């Protein structure tokens, strides 16, 4: 098991050094390449007609923010970067930054919006997050893989709509638009996969 | 999440994809029939699967009526069988068949079970097959989309004939400044890479020749290929062409080509290797590589070698992924939205 799947249950975890292979790749894992910490932003298996399998990977340097595309051979191994996680909650974002509060110290701390914009669309005020520290410096955040959000706006469904489409677009309380089955109504809570941005299931009926 | 048949139940408009797929396959058959090809059916359950070290066949065990046990494989390609038919005397043949491969992704442009068309021309070579391929795709797009242009994922691709062709050697020179002539063995390949600032980080100490080739190909060549036209890359270095004929006796290149449209690898073709001794040696080499990679040892198809000994006519042949072709023609990004029962929905129930 890789450490950063769900560290949400502890305030602070120091992680031992692991060697991980390409088959352990997950979005959010941080690996060491030439002693720099690179977070996996995206990855895709590719298997050319004649040749081994490869993983085409998009990485972000956690120190410099630089993006890099790199292809690894399946099975290549990497040293995992020692990270610290601190539990926090999301407060708000302005035009430049997203602001969080550390659970333990109540200290407020911010990250630039370009690092957080893909994630805050799944967060509402008070949502729990893991703040990632490298060498004592706040570098990134992890959000849960599944979040529950309320449907804020939904187009009314009229009779006979089933012949048209099985899905409709709704707006969630965070402003995010997602496709959901037509039986979902305004005010209902639904579960969203934050890796794919897709609807998973209905959580409750109101 | 819903399965595809359920999605169709809720949204009958989705039937159209399946109707179009069926139409595409009918048109493919019509295309080859008109050109005098015979459609054949070979076995999908075989004793000797493909040898290629990086393609993993699926094992099958079964019994006969006396409970005698047999071990076999599902084909990864109908290639060996079709070539035996060339030796038998069939001159222009094609087959549309299901093939099976282990270690593939469930989605994107991969599925462990997929549909392949292979066609072969006796007394011919890969140049003829290139023509067949571009004409087939153009013909289908005319019939399905009524145009010389293909719109795929908001990219407009001009299919007008003839398609651009580029040798692999030129592609490497053009996009990476690497001269493959100087990279005929692992040591020299690594030496060339070290000279190139953009490439040296890419390569690992443990990489073999093919690993380096593929990494550069995936990282540097594929993304640089023109996006508004299909492209035929041809004449691959020998280590990348196990069943292809050499360009000439001492050449480092073999007559293999691949077709890329919108970055998707659509088809792979050869002027077929017909020399039984060289074929046997290449099989042995691949078997050794499988051993080294700690992969299952697959018996060499001795019947196939025997067929070559009876003399196979010089031939050209190709394998083209029909699902990928359908995705391109119908503008579908993920194979899971194309197939009625994708493996992801069958096996990956969450």
């Amino acid at each position: 098991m890789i450490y950063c799947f769900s560290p949400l249950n502890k305030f602070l975890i120091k992680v031992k050094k692991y060697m991980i292979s390409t088959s352990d790749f997950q979005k959010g894992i941080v690996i060491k390449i030439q002693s720099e910490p690179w977070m996996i932003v995206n990855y895709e298996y590719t298997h050319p007609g004649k040749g081994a399998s490869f993983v085409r990977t998009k990485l972000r340097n956690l120190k410099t923010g630089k993006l890099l595309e790199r292809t690894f051979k399946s099975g290549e191994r990497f040293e995992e970067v020692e990270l610290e996680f601190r539990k926090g909650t999301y407060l708000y974002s302005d035009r430049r930054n997203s602001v969080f509060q550390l659970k333990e110290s109540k200290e407020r701390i911010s990250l630039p919006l370009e690092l957080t914009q893909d994630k805050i669309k799944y967060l509402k005020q008070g949502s729990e997050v893991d703040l990632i520290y490298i060498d004592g410096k706040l570098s990134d955040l992890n959000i849960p893989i599944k979040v529950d959000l309320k449907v804020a706006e939904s187009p009314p469904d009229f009779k006979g709509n089933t012949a048209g489409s099985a899905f409709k677009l709704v707006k969630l309380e965070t402003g995010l638009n997602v496709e959901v089955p037509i039986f979902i109504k305004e005010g209902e809570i639904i579960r969203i996969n934050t890796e794919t941005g897709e609807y998973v299931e209905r959580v409750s009926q109101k | 999440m819903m399965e595809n048949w359920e999605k169709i139940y809720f949204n009958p408009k989705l039937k159209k994809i399946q109707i179009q797929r069926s139409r595409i396959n009918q048109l493919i058959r019509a295309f080859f029939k008109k050109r005098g090809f015979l459609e054949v059916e070979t076995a999908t359950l075989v004793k000797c699967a493909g040898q290629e070290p990086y393609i993993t066949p699926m094992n099958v065990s079964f019994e006969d009526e006396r409970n005698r046990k047999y071990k076999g494989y599902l084909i990864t390609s109908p290639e060996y069988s079709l070539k035996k038919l060339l030796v038998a005397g069939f001159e222009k043949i094609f087959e549309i068949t299901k093939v099976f491969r282990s270690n593939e992704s469930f989605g994107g442009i991969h599925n462990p079970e997929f549909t392949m068309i292979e066609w072969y021309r006796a007394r011919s070579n890969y140049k003829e097959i290139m023509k067949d391929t571009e004409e087939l795709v153009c013909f289908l797009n005319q019939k399905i989309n009524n145009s010389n242009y293909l719109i795929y994922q908001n990219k407009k691709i001009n299919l007008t004939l003839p398609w651009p062709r580029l040798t692999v050697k030129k592609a490497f020179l053009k996009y990476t400044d690497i001269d493959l002539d100087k990279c005929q063995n692992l040591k020299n390949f690594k030496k060339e890479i070290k000279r190139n600032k953009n490439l040296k980080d890419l390569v690992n100490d443990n990489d073999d020749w093919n690993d380096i080739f593929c990494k550069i190909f995936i990282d540097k060549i594929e993304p640089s290929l023109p996006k508004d036209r299909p492209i035929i890359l041809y004449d691959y270095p020998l280590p990348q062409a196990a069943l292809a004929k050499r360009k000439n006796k001492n050449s480092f290149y073999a007559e293999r080509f691949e077709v890329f449209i919108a970055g998707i690898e659509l088809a792979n073709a050869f002027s077929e290797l017909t020399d039984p001794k060289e074929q046997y040696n290449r099989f042995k080499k691949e078997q050794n590589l499988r051993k080294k990679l700690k992969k299952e040892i697959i018996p060499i198809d001795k019947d196939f070698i025997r067929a070559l000994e009876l003399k196979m006519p010089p031939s050209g042949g190709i394998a083209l992924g029909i699902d990928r072709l359908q995705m391109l023609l119908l503008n579908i990004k993920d194979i899971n939205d194309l197939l009625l029962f994708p493996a992801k929905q069958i096996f990956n129930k969450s």
Side-chain angles (χ1 to χ4, degrees), chain A residues 129-140:
Chain A
V129 296
D130 284 310
L131 296 161
I132 301 171
Y133 285 75
I134 292 182
D135 300 335
K137 187 177 165 268
L138 178 62
S139 310
D140 204 341

Side-chain angles (χ1 to χ4, degrees), chain A residues 34 45-54 56 69-73 76 146 161-167 179 181-183 198-200, chain B residues 1-2 7 10-13 52 54-55 103-105 110 201-202 204 207 210-211 214-215 218-219 222-223 240 256 258 265 268 270 293:
Chain A
Q34 283 155 358
Y45 284 90
T46 163
H47 191 172
K50 306 267 173 286
S53 297
F54 294 85
R56 192 183 262 162
E69 288 196 22
R70 179 59 79 78
T71 301
F72 302 111
K73 191 181 165 193
E76 265 183 57
K146 284 171 185 169
N161 203 17
T162 44
S165 168
F167 298 95
E179 270 203 330
I182 39 170
F183 55 76
E198 281 168 10
Y199 164 88
V200 181
Chain B
M1 210 56 200
M2 265 188 258
K7 287 184 188 166
F10 281 114
N11 183 3
K13 275 186 190 161
E52 282 152 292
Y54 295 108
I55 294 178
N103 297 111
E104 296 282 348
S105 306
H110 293 279
D201 290 346
L202 203 64
N204 225 313
D207 287 344
N210 278 315
D211 295 339
C214 288
K215 276 186 176 176
I218 294 167
D219 232 58
E222 238 183 69
Q240 280 282 306
R256 169 188 171 201
E258 289 231 321
E265 180 191 7
N268 178 41
F270 307 128
L293 294 167

